[in-house]
Each structure stands twice: as C-alpha cells, then as structure tokens.
Amino acid sequence: MRKTRALAAAGAAVAVLGVAAPVAVADGGRVANPSNIVAQPGVIARGGQLTITVDGCPHGGHATSNAFQRTNLTPVNNRNDIARGNDTARGTATIDDNARPGPYDITVHCSGRSLTRPAAFTVIGGVRGGIGGSSTTGATSTDMAIGGSLVAAAVAGSGFFWMRRRAEKRI
C-alpha cells in the first residue's frame, strides 16, 4: 500500500513538472508572469493615446479594455531589464470616440497568462473646441428673437437720430 501511494505521488510530481517545463524553457528557464501594468496618462479624453507598459512580458502580448480595441504589446528589452529578469512590453492604444466617461480596467495577456488591473485609467468627456461649447447647430428661435429685437432697436434709434439731425438743419 505504501509503495502505491509513493508511486502515485511521484507520478503526479512528474506530470506537474512535465506541464511546467515547456513554459519555463520558452522563457529562458523562468516562468514569465505579467505584472505592474502602468497606463499613462491616468486621465485621458476620448480619442487620446494611452501608453500601456507591462513588466514580466518578455515576448510581448496584447492588452484589452472596454475603452479601446485590442492593442499589441511589443517587447522593450534592454540590457538592464534582461540582467534583472524584468522584461518589459509596451503598446499604445487609442481611446474610442464613443467611450463613456469613467474608470476602465486593463487586461494584459502575455505568455499564456493574464493579469487585470482594475480602474487603470479614467476617461473624461471630450471638449467641443472651436464652437464655444454649444451643442446645437444653427440659431434657435430664442436667438432669432433676441437678434431681431436688437436689429429693430438699432433701426429705430438710427431713424430717431437721423430725424432729429434733419430737424436741426432747418432752423
């Protein structure tokens, strides 16, 4: 009975090592785990560009969010990062024009593993630059009434002034 248990435990250990070995060999003998997701800037308007940096992602991967389309992450391997075992990947995402204001999560997929950072960045409402912040096109009926009354007052005032100057010339 003892031999059967020992044999079963050894078989389970070999199976676990057999599954983990290809991943460890693929990443130079260590298992890559994505960590430290950084999104810059932390507050961004719709249509803006967001830079995503992830540590522990030596072969790149991709990032997803509800605020932007799937974005590829490319490795940024310099000698200092490799020596420390801290392989970094980076990508640039464009925030959708129809993204609603509020906080958004980012999920990163690297080397068959995933990591999610909740509330990684915040989308703010866009600015309507160049049109004074108005949200309508053309003049409203109120605008027409105000403009018409100002024009009428200007015509009446000009007529009154002209008639008075004309009367002074006769004397």
Side-chain angles (χ1 to χ4, degrees):
M1 189 72 144
R2 288 183 190 176
K3 290 181 183 180
T4 307
R5 285 185 186 167
L7 189 57
V14 168
V16 168
L17 288 175
V19 171
V23 175
V25 171
D27 284 330
R30 61 184 162 73
V31 177
N33 285 319
S35 64
N36 193 28
I37 300 172
V38 177
Q40 290 293 330
V43 177
I44 189 166
R46 292 177 277 200
Q49 299 238 323
L50 183 73
T51 302
I52 303 162
T53 306
V54 183
D55 292 336
C57 197
H59 303 294
H62 65 273
T64 58
S65 177
N66 291 335
F68 56 81
Q69 295 182 4
R70 178 180 160 157
T71 300
N72 290 327
L73 302 172
T74 56
V76 181
N77 296 326
N78 63 37
R79 293 179 193 256
N80 292 335
D81 286 338
I82 292 172
R84 288 182 296 175
N86 185 17
D87 298 323
T88 302
R90 185 173 295 136
T92 302
T94 301
I95 304 299
D96 294 335
D97 289 333
N98 60 355
R100 297 183 126 186
Y104 284 90
D105 302 346
I106 294 178
T107 300
V108 173
H109 306 277
C110 296
S111 302
R113 298 182 183 239
S114 298
L115 177 67
T116 299
R117 178 173 174 208
F121 64 98
T122 302
V123 174
I124 58 173
V127 177
R128 298 180 141 258
I131 59 173
S134 69
S135 59
T136 60
T137 56
T140 63
S141 58
T142 305
D143 295 336
M144 294 300 288
I146 292 171
S149 64
L150 289 174
V151 168
V155 168
S158 297
F160 178 75
F161 179 75
W162 184 69
M163 293 298 284
R164 187 171 172 169
R165 295 283 289 166
R166 187 172 166 206
E168 287 178 2
K169 287 184 180 179
R170 287 187 189 171
I171 299 181

mmCIF file of all heavy atoms in Angstrom, residues 65-103:
data_model
loop_
_atom_site.group_PDB
_atom_site.id
_atom_site.type_symbol
_atom_site.label_atom_id
_atom_site.label_comp_id
_atom_site.label_asym_id
_atom_site.label_seq_id
_atom_site.Cartn_x
_atom_site.Cartn_y
_atom_site.Cartn_z
ATOM 1 N N SER A 65 -9.431 46.264 -23.267
ATOM 2 C CA SER A 65 -10.245 47.069 -22.366
ATOM 3 C C SER A 65 -11.548 47.393 -23.085
ATOM 4 O O SER A 65 -11.633 47.280 -24.309
ATOM 5 C CB SER A 65 -9.522 48.354 -21.981
ATOM 6 O OG SER A 65 -10.342 49.168 -21.171
ATOM 7 N N ASN A 66 -12.544 47.817 -22.331
ATOM 8 C CA ASN A 66 -13.796 48.241 -22.942
ATOM 9 C C ASN A 66 -13.691 49.617 -23.586
ATOM 10 O O ASN A 66 -14.577 50.026 -24.316
ATOM 11 C CB ASN A 66 -14.919 48.255 -21.897
ATOM 12 C CG ASN A 66 -15.290 46.869 -21.452
ATOM 13 O OD1 ASN A 66 -15.092 45.894 -22.168
ATOM 14 N ND2 ASN A 66 -15.830 46.754 -20.252
ATOM 15 N N ALA A 67 -12.587 50.337 -23.313
ATOM 16 C CA ALA A 67 -12.433 51.699 -23.837
ATOM 17 C C ALA A 67 -11.609 51.755 -25.120
ATOM 18 O O ALA A 67 -11.570 52.788 -25.771
ATOM 19 C CB ALA A 67 -11.789 52.590 -22.789
ATOM 20 N N PHE A 68 -10.924 50.664 -25.483
ATOM 21 C CA PHE A 68 -10.137 50.652 -26.712
ATOM 22 C C PHE A 68 -10.112 49.257 -27.306
ATOM 23 O O PHE A 68 -10.438 48.276 -26.636
ATOM 24 C CB PHE A 68 -8.708 51.163 -26.485
ATOM 25 C CG PHE A 68 -7.921 50.427 -25.422
ATOM 26 C CD1 PHE A 68 -7.292 49.227 -25.693
ATOM 27 C CD2 PHE A 68 -7.791 50.958 -24.162
ATOM 28 C CE1 PHE A 68 -6.563 48.562 -24.735
ATOM 29 C CE2 PHE A 68 -7.064 50.313 -23.184
ATOM 30 C CZ PHE A 68 -6.445 49.103 -23.481
ATOM 31 N N GLN A 69 -9.726 49.181 -28.576
ATOM 32 C CA GLN A 69 -9.632 47.897 -29.250
ATOM 33 C C GLN A 69 -8.368 47.169 -28.801
ATOM 34 O O GLN A 69 -7.464 47.772 -28.232
ATOM 35 C CB GLN A 69 -9.618 48.104 -30.757
ATOM 36 C CG GLN A 69 -10.911 48.683 -31.277
ATOM 37 C CD GLN A 69 -10.892 48.839 -32.793
ATOM 38 O OE1 GLN A 69 -9.958 48.463 -33.466
ATOM 39 N NE2 GLN A 69 -11.951 49.412 -33.323
ATOM 40 N N ARG A 70 -8.325 45.877 -29.086
ATOM 41 C CA ARG A 70 -7.172 45.061 -28.707
ATOM 42 C C ARG A 70 -5.890 45.718 -29.223
ATOM 43 O O ARG A 70 -5.788 46.086 -30.388
ATOM 44 C CB ARG A 70 -7.331 43.669 -29.297
ATOM 45 C CG ARG A 70 -6.184 42.762 -29.009
ATOM 46 C CD ARG A 70 -6.431 41.412 -29.619
ATOM 47 N NE ARG A 70 -5.189 40.696 -29.756
ATOM 48 C CZ ARG A 70 -5.096 39.396 -29.842
ATOM 49 N NH1 ARG A 70 -6.189 38.670 -29.842
ATOM 50 N NH2 ARG A 70 -3.938 38.823 -29.956
ATOM 51 N N THR A 71 -4.918 45.860 -28.334
ATOM 52 C CA THR A 71 -3.669 46.541 -28.651
ATOM 53 C C THR A 71 -2.501 45.595 -28.429
ATOM 54 O O THR A 71 -2.403 44.958 -27.380
ATOM 55 C CB THR A 71 -3.508 47.784 -27.749
ATOM 56 O OG1 THR A 71 -4.606 48.655 -27.977
ATOM 57 C CG2 THR A 71 -2.221 48.516 -28.040
ATOM 58 N N ASN A 72 -1.618 45.506 -29.411
ATOM 59 C CA ASN A 72 -0.439 44.652 -29.286
ATOM 60 C C ASN A 72 0.607 45.307 -28.396
ATOM 61 O O ASN A 72 0.808 46.521 -28.440
ATOM 62 C CB ASN A 72 0.164 44.367 -30.661
ATOM 63 C CG ASN A 72 -0.722 43.458 -31.481
ATOM 64 O OD1 ASN A 72 -1.405 42.591 -30.943
ATOM 65 N ND2 ASN A 72 -0.719 43.650 -32.773
ATOM 66 N N LEU A 73 1.278 44.464 -27.608
ATOM 67 C CA LEU A 73 2.373 44.903 -26.754
ATOM 68 C C LEU A 73 3.662 44.318 -27.328
ATOM 69 O O LEU A 73 3.747 43.116 -27.559
ATOM 70 C CB LEU A 73 2.169 44.413 -25.320
ATOM 71 C CG LEU A 73 0.883 44.855 -24.632
ATOM 72 C CD1 LEU A 73 0.732 44.142 -23.291
ATOM 73 C CD2 LEU A 73 0.874 46.352 -24.437
ATOM 74 N N THR A 74 4.647 45.159 -27.558
ATOM 75 C CA THR A 74 5.918 44.694 -28.106
ATOM 76 C C THR A 74 6.982 44.748 -27.024
ATOM 77 O O THR A 74 6.985 45.637 -26.171
ATOM 78 C CB THR A 74 6.354 45.564 -29.306
ATOM 79 O OG1 THR A 74 6.409 46.921 -28.890
ATOM 80 C CG2 THR A 74 5.373 45.438 -30.446
ATOM 81 N N PRO A 75 7.925 43.790 -27.054
ATOM 82 C CA PRO A 75 8.963 43.762 -26.028
ATOM 83 C C PRO A 75 9.875 44.981 -26.108
ATOM 84 O O PRO A 75 10.206 45.455 -27.184
ATOM 85 C CB PRO A 75 9.759 42.494 -26.346
ATOM 86 C CG PRO A 75 8.968 41.739 -27.335
ATOM 87 C CD PRO A 75 8.011 42.669 -27.977
ATOM 88 N N VAL A 76 10.269 45.467 -24.942
ATOM 89 C CA VAL A 76 11.225 46.556 -24.827
ATOM 90 C C VAL A 76 12.364 45.989 -23.989
ATOM 91 O O VAL A 76 12.442 46.218 -22.799
ATOM 92 C CB VAL A 76 10.609 47.788 -24.134
ATOM 93 C CG1 VAL A 76 11.618 48.919 -24.059
ATOM 94 C CG2 VAL A 76 9.356 48.225 -24.834
ATOM 95 N N ASN A 77 13.226 45.207 -24.639
ATOM 96 C CA ASN A 77 14.290 44.521 -23.904
ATOM 97 C C ASN A 77 15.587 45.294 -24.029
ATOM 98 O O ASN A 77 16.182 45.352 -25.090
ATOM 99 C CB ASN A 77 14.504 43.106 -24.452
ATOM 100 C CG ASN A 77 13.293 42.238 -24.239
ATOM 101 O OD1 ASN A 77 12.606 42.386 -23.252
ATOM 102 N ND2 ASN A 77 13.026 41.332 -25.153
ATOM 103 N N ASN A 78 16.014 45.903 -22.937
ATOM 104 C CA ASN A 78 17.359 46.462 -22.928
ATOM 105 C C ASN A 78 18.203 45.652 -21.954
ATOM 106 O O ASN A 78 17.699 44.853 -21.188
ATOM 107 C CB ASN A 78 17.353 47.966 -22.602
ATOM 108 C CG ASN A 78 16.831 48.268 -21.219
ATOM 109 O OD1 ASN A 78 17.090 47.528 -20.286
ATOM 110 N ND2 ASN A 78 16.097 49.356 -21.076
ATOM 111 N N ARG A 79 19.491 45.849 -21.978
ATOM 112 C CA ARG A 79 20.402 45.004 -21.193
ATOM 113 C C ARG A 79 20.119 45.075 -19.694
ATOM 114 O O ARG A 79 20.235 44.086 -18.998
ATOM 115 C CB ARG A 79 21.838 45.383 -21.476
ATOM 116 C CG ARG A 79 22.245 45.069 -22.881
ATOM 117 C CD ARG A 79 23.683 45.489 -23.135
ATOM 118 N NE ARG A 79 23.951 45.462 -24.550
ATOM 119 C CZ ARG A 79 24.640 44.515 -25.143
ATOM 120 N NH1 ARG A 79 25.122 43.529 -24.447
ATOM 121 N NH2 ARG A 79 24.847 44.566 -26.442
ATOM 122 N N ASN A 80 19.725 46.222 -19.182
ATOM 123 C CA ASN A 80 19.450 46.346 -17.749
ATOM 124 C C ASN A 80 18.237 45.523 -17.357
ATOM 125 O O ASN A 80 18.210 44.908 -16.307
ATOM 126 C CB ASN A 80 19.237 47.806 -17.365
ATOM 127 C CG ASN A 80 20.505 48.619 -17.499
ATOM 128 O OD1 ASN A 80 21.596 48.077 -17.433
ATOM 129 N ND2 ASN A 80 20.361 49.910 -17.714
ATOM 130 N N ASP A 81 17.201 45.530 -18.210
ATOM 131 C CA ASP A 81 15.999 44.758 -17.894
ATOM 132 C C ASP A 81 16.282 43.260 -17.915
ATOM 133 O O ASP A 81 15.810 42.517 -17.064
ATOM 134 C CB ASP A 81 14.874 45.080 -18.881
ATOM 135 C CG ASP A 81 14.256 46.434 -18.623
ATOM 136 O OD1 ASP A 81 14.385 46.922 -17.496
ATOM 137 O OD2 ASP A 81 13.646 46.996 -19.548
ATOM 138 N N ILE A 82 17.063 42.792 -18.896
ATOM 139 C CA ILE A 82 17.331 41.363 -19.004
ATOM 140 C C ILE A 82 18.171 40.901 -17.817
ATOM 141 O O ILE A 82 17.941 39.834 -17.255
ATOM 142 C CB ILE A 82 18.030 41.056 -20.344
ATOM 143 C CG1 ILE A 82 17.045 41.306 -21.487
ATOM 144 C CG2 ILE A 82 18.526 39.627 -20.385
ATOM 145 C CD1 ILE A 82 17.656 41.238 -22.860
ATOM 146 N N ALA A 83 19.146 41.707 -17.408
ATOM 147 C CA ALA A 83 20.006 41.333 -16.279
ATOM 148 C C ALA A 83 19.194 41.195 -14.997
ATOM 149 O O ALA A 83 19.480 40.342 -14.169
ATOM 150 C CB ALA A 83 21.113 42.367 -16.105
ATOM 151 N N ARG A 84 18.188 42.035 -14.817
ATOM 152 C CA ARG A 84 17.346 41.962 -13.623
ATOM 153 C C ARG A 84 16.234 40.944 -13.773
ATOM 154 O O ARG A 84 15.513 40.663 -12.838
ATOM 155 C CB ARG A 84 16.708 43.328 -13.348
ATOM 156 C CG ARG A 84 17.675 44.348 -12.828
ATOM 157 C CD ARG A 84 16.958 45.622 -12.551
ATOM 158 N NE ARG A 84 16.449 46.130 -13.826
ATOM 159 C CZ ARG A 84 15.686 47.178 -13.963
ATOM 160 N NH1 ARG A 84 15.308 47.858 -12.922
ATOM 161 N NH2 ARG A 84 15.283 47.579 -15.134
ATOM 162 N N GLY A 85 16.055 40.394 -14.981
ATOM 163 C CA GLY A 85 14.958 39.451 -15.197
ATOM 164 C C GLY A 85 13.618 40.151 -15.275
ATOM 165 O O GLY A 85 12.582 39.577 -14.987
ATOM 166 N N ASN A 86 13.617 41.424 -15.636
ATOM 167 C CA ASN A 86 12.395 42.215 -15.669
ATOM 168 C C ASN A 86 12.117 42.635 -17.110
ATOM 169 O O ASN A 86 12.425 43.745 -17.497
ATOM 170 C CB ASN A 86 12.549 43.434 -14.761
ATOM 171 C CG ASN A 86 11.272 44.221 -14.651
ATOM 172 O OD1 ASN A 86 10.205 43.716 -14.978
ATOM 173 N ND2 ASN A 86 11.366 45.444 -14.202
ATOM 174 N N ASP A 87 11.606 41.729 -17.916
ATOM 175 C CA ASP A 87 11.326 42.015 -19.314
ATOM 176 C C ASP A 87 10.056 42.830 -19.417
ATOM 177 O O ASP A 87 9.035 42.487 -18.835
ATOM 178 C CB ASP A 87 11.195 40.719 -20.104
ATOM 179 C CG ASP A 87 12.483 39.924 -20.076
ATOM 180 O OD1 ASP A 87 13.543 40.550 -20.118
ATOM 181 O OD2 ASP A 87 12.413 38.694 -20.011
ATOM 182 N N THR A 88 10.132 43.919 -20.164
ATOM 183 C CA THR A 88 9.027 44.859 -20.265
ATOM 184 C C THR A 88 8.458 44.847 -21.667
ATOM 185 O O THR A 88 9.188 44.700 -22.642
ATOM 186 C CB THR A 88 9.523 46.278 -19.920
ATOM 187 O OG1 THR A 88 10.084 46.255 -18.610
ATOM 188 C CG2 THR A 88 8.391 47.277 -19.951
ATOM 189 N N ALA A 89 7.149 45.030 -21.772
ATOM 190 C CA ALA A 89 6.468 45.177 -23.061
ATOM 191 C C ALA A 89 5.650 46.455 -23.011
ATOM 192 O O ALA A 89 5.180 46.867 -21.950
ATOM 193 C CB ALA A 89 5.581 43.980 -23.344
ATOM 194 N N ARG A 90 5.490 47.075 -24.178
ATOM 195 C CA ARG A 90 4.797 48.365 -24.233
ATOM 196 C C ARG A 90 3.931 48.418 -25.487
ATOM 197 O O ARG A 90 4.272 47.861 -26.515
ATOM 198 C CB ARG A 90 5.823 49.487 -24.245
ATOM 199 C CG ARG A 90 5.224 50.870 -24.182
ATOM 200 C CD ARG A 90 6.276 51.949 -24.020
ATOM 201 N NE ARG A 90 6.928 51.795 -22.728
ATOM 202 C CZ ARG A 90 8.232 51.884 -22.531
ATOM 203 N NH1 ARG A 90 9.038 52.135 -23.515
ATOM 204 N NH2 ARG A 90 8.733 51.728 -21.328
ATOM 205 N N GLY A 91 2.839 49.144 -25.385
ATOM 206 C CA GLY A 91 1.954 49.364 -26.526
ATOM 207 C C GLY A 91 1.203 50.674 -26.372
ATOM 208 O O GLY A 91 1.138 51.240 -25.280
ATOM 209 N N THR A 92 0.649 51.147 -27.494
ATOM 210 C CA THR A 92 -0.114 52.395 -27.486
ATOM 211 C C THR A 92 -1.526 52.112 -27.975
ATOM 212 O O THR A 92 -1.707 51.557 -29.057
ATOM 213 C CB THR A 92 0.554 53.453 -28.386
ATOM 214 O OG1 THR A 92 1.881 53.656 -27.914
ATOM 215 C CG2 THR A 92 -0.199 54.758 -28.341
ATOM 216 N N ALA A 93 -2.506 52.501 -27.174
ATOM 217 C CA ALA A 93 -3.916 52.302 -27.514
ATOM 218 C C ALA A 93 -4.576 53.648 -27.740
ATOM 219 O O ALA A 93 -4.236 54.632 -27.090
ATOM 220 C CB ALA A 93 -4.627 51.565 -26.383
ATOM 221 N N THR A 94 -5.526 53.688 -28.667
ATOM 222 C CA THR A 94 -6.312 54.897 -28.913
ATOM 223 C C THR A 94 -7.689 54.700 -28.296
ATOM 224 O O THR A 94 -8.383 53.728 -28.607
ATOM 225 C CB THR A 94 -6.440 55.170 -30.420
ATOM 226 O OG1 THR A 94 -5.128 55.310 -30.963
ATOM 227 C CG2 THR A 94 -7.234 56.438 -30.679
ATOM 228 N N ILE A 95 -8.071 55.616 -27.422
ATOM 229 C CA ILE A 95 -9.363 55.526 -26.742
ATOM 230 C C ILE A 95 -10.476 55.759 -27.754
ATOM 231 O O ILE A 95 -10.416 56.688 -28.560
ATOM 232 C CB ILE A 95 -9.454 56.563 -25.597
ATOM 233 C CG1 ILE A 95 -8.287 56.391 -24.622
ATOM 234 C CG2 ILE A 95 -10.793 56.463 -24.867
ATOM 235 C CD1 ILE A 95 -8.224 55.050 -23.947
ATOM 236 N N ASP A 96 -11.506 54.905 -27.714
ATOM 237 C CA ASP A 96 -12.639 55.017 -28.632
ATOM 238 C C ASP A 96 -13.346 56.362 -28.464
ATOM 239 O O ASP A 96 -13.465 56.876 -27.349
ATOM 240 C CB ASP A 96 -13.655 53.895 -28.387
ATOM 241 C CG ASP A 96 -13.088 52.527 -28.734
ATOM 242 O OD1 ASP A 96 -12.158 52.464 -29.562
ATOM 243 O OD2 ASP A 96 -13.587 51.536 -28.175
ATOM 244 N N ASP A 97 -13.825 56.896 -29.579
ATOM 245 C CA ASP A 97 -14.543 58.176 -29.532
ATOM 246 C C ASP A 97 -15.873 58.065 -28.797
ATOM 247 O O ASP A 97 -16.395 59.051 -28.299
ATOM 248 C CB ASP A 97 -14.793 58.697 -30.951
ATOM 249 C CG ASP A 97 -13.505 59.169 -31.613
ATOM 250 O OD1 ASP A 97 -12.578 59.568 -30.889
ATOM 251 O OD2 ASP A 97 -13.440 59.119 -32.853
ATOM 252 N N ASN A 98 -16.438 56.866 -28.724
ATOM 253 C CA ASN A 98 -17.726 56.679 -28.053
ATOM 254 C C ASN A 98 -17.574 56.095 -26.647
ATOM 255 O O ASN A 98 -18.556 55.647 -26.069
ATOM 256 C CB ASN A 98 -18.636 55.806 -28.905
ATOM 257 C CG ASN A 98 -18.049 54.428 -29.149
ATOM 258 O OD1 ASN A 98 -16.918 54.153 -28.757
ATOM 259 N ND2 ASN A 98 -18.795 53.573 -29.808
ATOM 260 N N ALA A 99 -16.360 56.120 -26.091
ATOM 261 C CA ALA A 99 -16.151 55.612 -24.726
ATOM 262 C C ALA A 99 -16.850 56.529 -23.729
ATOM 263 O O ALA A 99 -16.762 57.746 -23.824
ATOM 264 C CB ALA A 99 -14.662 55.523 -24.420
ATOM 265 N N ARG A 100 -17.550 55.930 -22.782
ATOM 266 C CA ARG A 100 -18.245 56.720 -21.766
ATOM 267 C C ARG A 100 -17.265 57.177 -20.704
ATOM 268 O O ARG A 100 -16.326 56.466 -20.372
ATOM 269 C CB ARG A 100 -19.331 55.869 -21.113
ATOM 270 C CG ARG A 100 -20.380 55.436 -22.081
ATOM 271 C CD ARG A 100 -21.436 54.680 -21.367
ATOM 272 N NE ARG A 100 -22.693 55.324 -21.695
ATOM 273 C CZ ARG A 100 -23.831 55.005 -21.167
ATOM 274 N NH1 ARG A 100 -23.893 54.089 -20.256
ATOM 275 N NH2 ARG A 100 -24.928 55.625 -21.533
ATOM 276 N N PRO A 101 -17.471 58.358 -20.152
ATOM 277 C CA PRO A 101 -16.590 58.826 -19.074
ATOM 278 C C PRO A 101 -16.660 57.902 -17.864
ATOM 279 O O PRO A 101 -17.720 57.375 -17.529
ATOM 280 C CB PRO A 101 -17.158 60.205 -18.729
ATOM 281 C CG PRO A 101 -17.884 60.642 -19.957
ATOM 282 C CD PRO A 101 -18.437 59.382 -20.561
ATOM 283 N N GLY A 102 -15.499 57.686 -17.240
ATOM 284 C CA GLY A 102 -15.427 56.850 -16.050
ATOM 285 C C GLY A 102 -14.175 55.999 -16.044
ATOM 286 O O GLY A 102 -13.380 56.026 -16.981
ATOM 287 N N PRO A 103 -13.973 55.216 -14.973
ATOM 288 C CA PRO A 103 -12.781 54.369 -14.857
ATOM 289 C C PRO A 103 -12.910 53.097 -15.697
ATOM 290 O O PRO A 103 -14.013 52.566 -15.876
ATOM 291 C CB PRO A 103 -12.723 54.033 -13.366
ATOM 292 C CG PRO A 103 -14.131 54.143 -12.899
ATOM 293 C CD PRO A 103 -14.783 55.197 -13.761
#
